[in-house]
């Protein structure tokens, strides 16, 4: 990791409030995912967000808006998120969302295939189109008309809008994770610089 997580006692009061809010919310929503180190500092994308609060805090607001206004099925969402994580090879994102996908009911073989960058068998039509949209957009291409039309037919216009903002927000998270070389907790030694 290229930056060190910031222990909560080193944060000024406004950032400490952000830290504590994230810690409580993520622990509640994704209890199996390690988000705090031994010093109680946030890890994952949250360390970078606290290091660069002028950009990181608004990014958190985007993530919260995408989650708070979610109407897509949770499995559809996780298919898209894992597709983004695989496209970028974002280790922490894959680690966290493999667990979340399991919790919402995606089969283990499907999770493994998505994490490896593939399109698993047995996806519903909605799940498959979410994968196809995420795959196309993370490759830097314009979404083909046929894919857009199919997504609109299956998810509705609002569902497509939600999906694209979900994909975009997780592309941002993946880039942050990859820039700062964020490891999976407990799987790699930290080489963070102050």
């Amino acid at each position: 990791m290229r930056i060190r997580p910031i222990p909560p006692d080193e944060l000024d009061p406004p950032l400490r409030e952000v830290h504590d809010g994230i810690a409580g919310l993520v622990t509640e929503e994704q209890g199996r995912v390690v988000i705090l180190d031994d010093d109680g500092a946030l890890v994952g994308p949250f360390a970078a967000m606290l290091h660069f609060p002028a950009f990181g805090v608004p990014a958190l607001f985007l993530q919260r808006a995408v989650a708070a206004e979610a109407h897509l099925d949770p499995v559809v969402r996780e298919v898209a998120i894992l597709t983004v994580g695989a496209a970028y090879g974002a280790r922490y994102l894959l680690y966290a969302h493999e667990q979340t996908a399991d919790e919402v009911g995606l089969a283990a073989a499907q999770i493994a295939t998505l994490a490896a960058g593939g399109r698993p068998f047995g996806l519903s039509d909605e799940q498959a189109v979410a994968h196809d949209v995420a795959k196309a957009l993370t490759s830097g291409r314009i979404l083909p008309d046929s894919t857009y039309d199919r997504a609109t037919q299956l998810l509705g216009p609002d569902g497509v809008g939600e999906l694209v903002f979900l994909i975009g927000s997780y592309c941002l998270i993946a880039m942050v994770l990859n820039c700062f070389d964020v490891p999976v907790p407990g799987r790699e030694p930290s080489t963070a610089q102050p």
Side-chain angles (χ1 to χ4, degrees):
M1 182 151 174
R2 294 182 173 131
I3 56 173
R4 72 176 183 84
I6 306 170
D9 59 357
E10 293 180 20
L11 296 169
D12 63 29
L15 279 183
R16 176 63 188 258
E17 187 175 325
V18 170
H19 172 282
D20 294 348
I22 295 167
L25 185 62
V26 176
T27 300
E28 177 183 316
E29 292 181 357
Q30 295 176 308
R32 294 171 26 192
V33 177
V34 175
I35 63 158
L36 298 172
D37 68 10
D38 293 338
D39 296 325
L42 287 165
V43 297
F46 309 113
M49 291 172 168
L50 293 175
H51 270 278
F52 308 102
F55 310 107
V57 172
L60 284 169
F61 289 142
L62 173 61
Q63 286 298 120
R64 285 309 308 148
V66 168
E69 298 299 323
H71 296 289
L72 292 173
D73 179 89
V75 177
V76 169
R77 292 172 55 84
E78 290 305 319
V79 166
I81 294 166
L82 287 173
T83 302
V84 170
Y88 285 94
R91 294 173 297 177
Y92 188 92
L93 190 156
L94 289 169
Y95 151 76
H97 285 277
E98 285 172 346
Q99 293 181 67
T100 304
D102 177 62
E103 289 172 1
V104 299
L106 200 58
Q110 293 172 323
I111 294 169
T113 301
L114 287 164
R119 187 178 196 251
F121 294 107
L123 295 178
S124 72
D125 288 345
E126 293 82 4
Q127 294 162 7
V129 81
H131 168 77
D132 295 345
V133 169
K135 190 82 166 178
L137 293 177
T138 57
S139 72
R141 297 183 300 130
I142 293 175
L143 189 64
D145 287 341
S146 59
T147 308
Y148 177 81
D149 292 344
R150 181 75 172 146
T152 302
Q153 175 190 17
L154 292 167
L155 305 174
D158 290 343
V160 173
E162 178 182 336
L163 181 62
V164 75
F165 281 96
L166 175 75
I167 292 165
S169 71
Y170 276 93
C171 288
L172 171 60
I173 295 299
M175 289 180 188
V176 168
L177 291 167
N178 285 349
C179 177
F180 298 109
D181 194 20
V182 177
V184 173
R187 295 193 192 160
E188 293 186 13
S190 177
T191 58
Q193 300 297 316

